[in-house]
Structures are given as C-alpha cells and as structure tokens.
Amino acid sequence: TALAIWGEREAGTGRLEEAVAAYRAALEELTRERAPLDWAMVQGNLANAELAFFDKTGEATRLEAAERHVRAAREVFEEAAATQYLGLAESQLAEIARRREGVAG
C-alpha cells in the first residue's frame, strides 16, 4: 500500500508497477480459498493501484483490470455478507464508471 501511495504522488509509474507486483504476490499467499476476505481486500487495493496507473497513463487495460479486481472482491463480500465492504466495492465501481465516461466523452 505504501508503494501505491508513493506511486500516486510521483510523476512516473515505477512505484505503481512495484505496488501492482506486490499485490499480485500477496494474492498468491492470501488465496481466495484460504483467506477470502483478505484476498478480496487485496483485490480492492490492486484495483486502486490499477486506477492510479490509468490516471497517469490513460491505458484502458488498467481501467478494465481495476474493474475485474473490484468485481472479484465484490463477489466474495456478497458471499460473506460483508456489507461494510460491499459499499466500498460499489463506490469503486462507480468511480471506474466515471473514469470510463471521461475517456468516452
């Protein structure tokens, strides 16, 4: 998370690339089967890093990746009836939709 925050503040994308790699490595340890809520939280953090990457580069694939990560997290939150986290996922999806409209408009 520190790398992602640092990466958002820097001009380049190097730290964001490191953050994305770190989150992906975390997902290998915190699997959906072993720790579903932790896995979902990492998915949400990874989505945020992808959104920051999109903001810097305009790469549509980053926006699409962010949406996939949030939808995966939301699925786990729904299964666990973790309503406090469902709201966060819905907010992320709304933010992704706003950014997508900005690209299309």
Side-chain angles (χ1 to χ4, degrees):
T1 301
L3 285 169
I5 293 168
W6 194 0
E8 287 177 23
R9 295 178 181 170
E10 289 186 335
T13 59
R15 301 277 185 228
L16 285 174
E17 289 174 6
E18 290 179 54
V20 167
Y23 287 132
R24 288 185 178 150
L27 290 172
E28 291 179 20
E29 292 298 317
L30 297 170
T31 64
R32 183 175 178 167
E33 293 76 26
R34 288 191 335 208
L37 289 177
D38 290 333
W39 178 87
M41 293 299 289
V42 173
Q43 289 284 355
N45 288 334
L46 179 52
N48 287 335
E50 293 284 13
L51 282 174
F53 214 112
F54 169 77
D55 289 342
K56 288 182 180 282
T57 66
E59 292 177 28
T61 57
R62 298 295 183 156
L63 198 58
E64 294 163 7
E67 184 174 7
R68 280 193 312 275
H69 295 300
V70 174
R71 289 190 184 283
R74 185 178 65 177
E75 185 177 300
V76 169
F77 296 146
E78 286 173 345
E79 291 170 2
T83 55
Q84 71 274 24
Y85 297 122
L86 275 173
L88 292 173
E90 293 303 326
S91 293
Q92 283 180 299
L93 288 171
E95 185 58 35
I96 291 166
R98 279 192 289 279
R99 285 188 170 110
R100 184 170 284 125
E101 288 173 9
V103 170

